[in-house]
Amino acid sequence: QVQLVESGGGLVQAGGSLRLSCAASVSIFSINNMGWYRQAPGKQRDLVAVITTEGRTTYADSVKGRFTISRENAKNTVYLQMNSLKAEDTAVYYCKARNSGWDYWGQGTQVTVSS
Protein backbone atom coordinates (compact mmCIF):
# COMPACT_ATOMS: atom_id res chain seq x y z
CA GLN A 1 0.00 0.00 0.00
CA VAL A 2 1.34 3.40 -1.02
CA GLN A 3 -0.18 6.65 0.19
CA LEU A 4 0.56 9.81 -1.73
CA VAL A 5 0.00 13.38 -0.56
CA GLU A 6 0.25 16.27 -3.00
CA SER A 7 0.92 19.86 -2.04
CA GLY A 8 1.96 23.14 -3.60
CA GLY A 9 -1.08 23.99 -5.66
CA GLY A 10 -2.71 27.39 -5.63
CA LEU A 11 -3.69 30.44 -7.62
CA VAL A 12 -1.08 32.05 -9.86
CA GLN A 13 -1.11 34.56 -12.68
CA ALA A 14 -0.31 33.52 -16.22
CA GLY A 15 3.43 33.43 -16.74
CA GLY A 16 4.06 32.53 -13.13
CA SER A 17 5.50 29.40 -11.52
CA LEU A 18 4.50 26.77 -9.00
CA ARG A 19 6.22 23.69 -7.63
CA LEU A 20 4.11 20.71 -6.71
CA SER A 21 5.30 18.05 -4.30
CA CYS A 22 4.15 14.47 -3.90
CA ALA A 23 5.18 12.79 -0.66
CA ALA A 24 4.95 9.00 -0.48
CA SER A 25 4.34 6.93 2.65
CA VAL A 26 6.95 4.38 1.59
CA SER A 27 10.39 4.44 0.08
CA ILE A 28 10.17 5.38 -3.58
CA PHE A 29 13.63 4.05 -4.34
CA SER A 30 12.24 0.96 -6.00
CA ILE A 31 9.05 2.44 -7.41
CA ASN A 32 9.86 2.44 -11.06
CA ASN A 33 7.19 4.74 -12.35
CA MET A 34 5.94 7.90 -10.70
CA GLY A 35 4.09 10.64 -12.43
CA TRP A 36 1.83 13.63 -12.47
CA TYR A 37 -1.54 13.75 -14.16
CA ARG A 38 -4.13 16.49 -14.37
CA GLN A 39 -7.86 16.75 -14.84
CA ALA A 40 -9.67 19.90 -15.88
CA PRO A 41 -13.43 20.27 -15.29
CA GLY A 42 -15.41 18.16 -17.72
CA LYS A 43 -12.30 16.55 -19.17
CA GLN A 44 -10.50 13.26 -18.73
CA ARG A 45 -7.43 12.82 -16.59
CA ASP A 46 -4.31 13.20 -18.72
CA LEU A 47 -0.64 12.47 -18.30
CA VAL A 48 1.55 15.48 -17.55
CA ALA A 49 4.93 13.92 -16.79
CA VAL A 50 6.43 10.62 -15.67
CA ILE A 51 9.83 9.72 -14.21
CA THR A 52 11.44 6.31 -13.75
CA THR A 53 13.95 5.12 -11.19
CA GLU A 54 16.65 5.61 -13.83
CA GLY A 55 15.58 9.22 -14.19
CA ARG A 56 14.05 8.83 -17.60
CA THR A 57 11.29 11.37 -18.13
CA THR A 58 8.29 11.68 -20.40
CA TYR A 59 6.22 14.82 -20.87
CA ALA A 60 2.98 15.72 -22.52
CA ASP A 61 3.61 17.86 -25.59
CA SER A 62 1.64 20.71 -24.05
CA VAL A 63 4.10 21.09 -21.14
CA LYS A 64 7.44 20.29 -22.76
CA GLY A 65 9.96 23.02 -22.09
CA ARG A 66 7.85 24.51 -19.29
CA PHE A 67 7.45 21.73 -16.71
CA THR A 68 10.14 19.60 -15.08
CA ILE A 69 9.55 16.43 -13.10
CA SER A 70 12.13 15.22 -10.59
CA ARG A 71 12.40 12.77 -7.74
CA GLU A 72 14.27 12.89 -4.45
CA ASN A 73 14.45 9.32 -3.21
CA ALA A 74 15.92 10.30 0.16
CA LYS A 75 12.76 12.29 0.91
CA ASN A 76 10.37 9.88 -0.82
CA THR A 77 9.14 12.84 -2.83
CA VAL A 78 8.46 13.64 -6.46
CA TYR A 79 8.27 17.22 -7.67
CA LEU A 80 6.74 19.02 -10.61
CA GLN A 81 8.24 22.41 -11.34
CA MET A 82 5.83 24.39 -13.48
CA ASN A 83 7.02 27.55 -15.22
CA SER A 84 5.42 29.90 -17.73
CA LEU A 85 2.00 28.78 -16.60
CA LYS A 86 -0.95 29.30 -18.89
CA ALA A 87 -4.68 29.49 -18.22
CA GLU A 88 -5.08 26.10 -19.90
CA ASP A 89 -2.88 24.54 -17.22
CA THR A 90 -5.71 25.06 -14.74
CA ALA A 91 -6.69 21.65 -13.36
CA VAL A 92 -6.51 19.33 -10.40
CA TYR A 93 -3.08 17.74 -10.42
CA TYR A 94 -2.71 14.18 -9.20
CA CYS A 95 0.36 12.17 -8.31
CA LYS A 96 0.49 8.50 -9.26
CA ALA A 97 2.81 5.68 -8.31
CA ARG A 98 2.91 2.34 -10.09
CA ASN A 99 4.25 -0.37 -7.82
CA SER A 100 4.11 -4.13 -8.26
CA GLY A 101 1.41 -3.83 -10.87
CA TRP A 102 -0.81 -1.58 -8.78
CA ASP A 103 -1.58 2.10 -9.33
CA TYR A 104 -1.81 4.43 -6.36
CA TRP A 105 -3.20 7.95 -6.54
CA GLY A 106 -3.04 10.99 -4.33
CA GLN A 107 -6.03 13.15 -3.49
CA GLY A 108 -5.02 15.90 -5.90
CA THR A 109 -4.08 19.55 -5.59
CA GLN A 110 -5.81 22.40 -7.39
CA VAL A 111 -3.82 24.64 -9.71
CA THR A 112 -5.59 27.73 -11.02
CA VAL A 113 -3.92 30.05 -13.51
CA SER A 114 -5.55 33.42 -14.04
CA SER A 115 -5.17 35.12 -17.39
Side-chain angles (χ1 to χ4, degrees):
Q1 187 79 7
V2 179
Q3 294 180 328
L4 303 170
V5 178
E6 302 99 333
S7 62
L11 174 64
V12 64
Q13 289 188 333
S17 298
L18 284 174
R19 188 177 81 155
L20 305 183
S21 299
C22 171
S25 61
V26 300
S27 171
I28 66 169
F29 181 80
S30 60
I31 297 180
N32 182 58
N33 187 301
M34 296 198 69
W36 288 95
Y37 293 72
R38 67 186 181 187
Q39 187 167 19
K43 296 188 176 182
Q44 67 182 19
R45 191 174 298 185
D46 291 326
L47 170 75
V48 176
V50 171
I51 187 167
T52 69
T53 50
E54 294 82 10
R56 290 194 299 268
T57 57
T58 303
Y59 295 93
D61 287 343
S62 59
V63 306
K64 283 181 181 177
R66 300 188 298 123
F67 290 12
T68 302
I69 188 171
S70 61
R71 60 193 292 164
E72 189 169 1
N73 290 342
K75 293 187 176 181
N76 298 327
T77 301
V78 175
Y79 303 99
L80 185 68
Q81 177 67 44
M82 305 186 295
N83 299 325
S84 302
L85 282 161
K86 305 175 181 179
E88 50 264 43
D89 294 319
T90 295
V92 178
Y93 283 70
Y94 296 91
C95 179
K96 189 186 89 168
R98 173 162 288 180
N99 191 40
S100 300
W102 294 90
D103 287 340
Y104 300 91
W105 293 90
Q107 83 288 349
T109 185
Q110 176 71 45
V111 172
T112 303
V113 184
S114 63
S115 57

